Amino acid sequence: MRLTLWLVLLCGSCVYLFSKESFRTWTSTNGENSIVARLVEFKGEKVQIEYLDKKIIDVSLSKFSKADQEYVRKVYGRSLFLVPKPFEGKENGAAIVTSITGDVFVVIQNFDRYSDKDPDPRPVIVGESIGAGSTLIIDNDSRADLLLTNGTLAHLQENTRVVLNSLYQKKFRGSKLKANELEKEVSPSRTFLNLEQGELVVEVRKLNKESSFLIKTPLSHAGIRGTQFKLSAKASSSELAVLEGKVDFLDTKQDTQSVQSGQKSISMPNETAKLESLSVQEQNEINQLVSETRQAAASVDLNRLANTVNGYSEEPIYRVKTALNMEMIWCPPGAFRTTGSFG
């Protein structure tokens, strides 16, 4: 039986519900009063509800019955694993390759009917930006560091294959601030990665309430809160190690548990996940990899991130010496479009 592990990073104390809940009857704690409304947002101690007349208010969750509180918790649990939807403006972010060692390849998505139906992997270029739909392949004795345009840092270990399913992000104004100095993401973003195999170490900035960060592997489910973690995906097991933050983990038996800072959860098919302490060596390993990934992105500022969307740069990044002294940028095959004629 093939199962799936979902890793979800959300803002610290609130959940933006990407699909609307139905209107229902809410009852007060003493059972004497009731209202008809729908749940819009869960904010930890409060819920935002909308009346039939479209009026929206925030109410303390403790004012509702135990049944209503349980309903909110279940909605929250479902919301953790929703595949992200694009923002209304359909803005897109990208992943910038900041460092590679060894053999690292990328398979670029098909842009239109003129592109290859089954494009071949090609070597990755340090400094290039890669858009949604692309697949990164890290060979034996190889590694790669990525910087997502929302500020997330990712380190890919050897023998890893990850698909950048979705990279939605709202546009923002750039600055000279270095990306590796960010404490929170630069603009709302919704990220969905598929770790098909291998190992991924990630540092995520504090997320906006409209944001989400999902990762799936071939084994069970988990909802991550926090900034630093390591995820390993194998055919027979999945291991989630949390250096900082908290993880709501759902194993293959559909049992849930919380994985705190300094803990790891090991999940195998048809077994309850095992919770263990993270050794000092494992903590040091994650710390070291995060530090190296930060260093790889040390030269990238927010001007670069703001000008990188849809897997290409809107402003020239690479200077290429040509006979015509032209300034050029690299873009993925099939991404170049002409709007006029040369002459």
Side-chain angles (χ1 to χ4, degrees), residues 37 40 64 103 120 154 244 274 299 335:
V40 176
F64 294 110
D103 297 319
D120 294 326
E244 180 182 319
K274 297 178 181 179
S299 64

Side-chain angles (χ1 to χ4, degrees), residues 87-336:
F87 296 103
E88 290 185 2
K90 295 184 179 180
E91 296 98 334
N92 293 294
I96 300 172
V97 181
T98 57
S99 171
I100 60 172
T101 300
D103 297 319
V104 180
F105 302 92
V106 62
V107 179
I108 302 295
Q109 68 167 339
N110 297 322
F111 284 88
D112 53 36
R113 62 179 179 174
Y114 300 107
S115 303
D116 292 337
K117 292 183 178 179
D118 297 305
D120 294 326
R122 64 158 177 81
V124 162
I125 303 170
V126 175
E128 73 171 293
S129 50
I130 299 172
S134 304
T135 301
L136 283 162
I137 304 168
I138 319 299
D139 269 6
N140 188 41
D141 294 326
S142 304
R143 53 185 282 177
D145 291 311
L146 302 179
L147 170 62
L148 274 60
T149 48
N150 67 352
T152 293
L153 295 168
H155 174 83
L156 284 65
Q157 293 278 58
E158 64 175 344
N159 300 318
T160 293
R161 184 183 179 97
V162 61
V163 183
L164 311 179
N165 289 67
S166 301
L167 297 170
Y168 303 123
Q169 184 176 355
K170 289 189 174 182
K171 294 181 180 179
F172 62 95
R173 185 183 298 274
S175 73
K176 293 183 179 180
L177 178 68
K178 298 300 183 183
N180 64 358
E181 297 175 0
L182 291 171
E183 294 183 0
K184 60 181 180 179
E185 65 175 349
V186 291
S187 68
S189 63
R190 296 170 188 169
T191 304
F192 176 26
L193 309 180
N194 180 6
L195 179 60
E196 296 183 344
Q197 67 176 50
E199 189 170 287
L200 186 64
V201 176
V202 179
E203 180 178 44
V204 179
R205 310 307 179 192
K206 182 179 179 181
L207 298 179
N208 185 282
K209 71 175 183 178
E210 297 181 71
S211 303
S212 66
F213 197 117
L214 288 76
I215 306 176
K216 79 169 186 177
T217 77
L219 207 57
S220 41
H221 298 73
I224 294 181
R225 293 177 176 277
T227 56
Q228 298 173 341
F229 66 93
K230 180 178 74 173
L231 173 63
S232 303
K234 301 178 182 178
S236 59
S237 67
S238 238
E239 181 176 309
L240 173 66
V242 180
L243 182 64
E244 180 182 319
K246 175 185 175 183
V247 178
D248 298 319
F249 190 82
L250 181 67
D251 62 24
T252 58
K253 304 263 305 174
Q254 302 300 295
D255 295 327
T256 59
Q257 60 181 222
S258 291
V259 185
Q260 307 287 341
S261 298
Q263 294 182 325
K264 66 179 179 180
S265 183
I266 303 172
S267 182
M268 292 180 284
N270 303 315
E271 293 185 15
T272 299
K274 297 178 181 179
L275 190 63
E276 300 178 1
S277 295
L278 207 56
S279 69
V280 174
Q281 181 179 349
E282 290 172 310
Q283 293 183 49
N284 290 339
E285 177 193 355
I286 298 175
N287 261 322
Q288 179 64 29
L289 292 175
V290 168
S291 178
E292 291 175 2
T293 306
R294 283 181 182 174
Q295 186 58 37
S299 64
V300 183
D301 61 22
L302 299 196
N303 285 322
R304 171 71 194 276
L305 298 190
N307 291 312
T308 303
V309 295
N310 294 327
Y312 65 92
S313 296
E314 291 185 320
E315 293 185 355
I317 298 299
Y318 303 104
R319 296 181 182 276
V320 181
K321 182 176 285 189
T322 69
L324 298 177
N325 195 29
M326 296 175 64
E327 193 173 53
M328 306 178 70
I329 66 170
W330 183 94
C331 63
F336 177 74

Side-chain angles (χ1 to χ4, degrees), residues 18-50:
F18 300 122
S19 59
K20 288 187 177 181
E21 289 294 307
S22 301
F23 283 92
R24 60 188 295 278
T25 300
W26 299 72
T27 307
S28 62
T29 304
N30 59 17
E32 295 180 356
N33 300 301
S34 63
I35 58 173
V36 176
R38 73 174 186 87
L39 178 62
V40 176
E41 188 176 340
F42 177 40
K43 301 181 176 181
E45 299 299 325
K46 293 184 178 182
V47 291
Q48 187 175 87
I49 58 175
E50 178 184 8

